[in-house]
Amino acid sequence: AEKVTSLGKDWHRPCLRCEKCNKTLTSGGHAEHDGKPYCNHPCYAALFGPKGGCLWWARGGAQGARGS
């Protein structure tokens, strides 16, 4: 299997997966929390992103903001 390096470790390419949704990730194309890989969106954003305050993204970003 092909080797990729991420988070200071070597991984088999299919083993580098999001801790929450299990999506296969690319080296350097993901977020990290406590040494574990997460896809940037939606998992990392939902688990560790800013909470409350800005409802723009929760309403669907630019699409949801139309007509507001």
Side-chain angles (χ1 to χ4, degrees):
E2 190 176 341
K3 176 180 84 169
V4 294
T5 301
S6 187
L7 306 176
K9 299 187 266 184
D10 292 330
W11 305 74
H12 294 113
R13 181 169 299 281
C15 296
L16 182 57
R17 296 183 169 273
C18 175
E19 284 288 314
K20 176 142 176 69
C21 72
N22 210 32
K23 174 183 169 185
T24 302
L25 304 170
T26 59
S27 181
H30 60 83
E32 173 270 333
H33 186 81
D34 288 337
K36 297 177 183 173
Y38 293 88
C39 58
N40 287 312
H41 189 76
C43 296
Y44 184 86
L47 293 169
F48 311 110
K51 306 286 190 250
C54 180
L55 296 177
W56 180 79
W57 185 261
R59 291 182 184 159
Q63 292 177 353
R66 276 188 231 139
S68 297

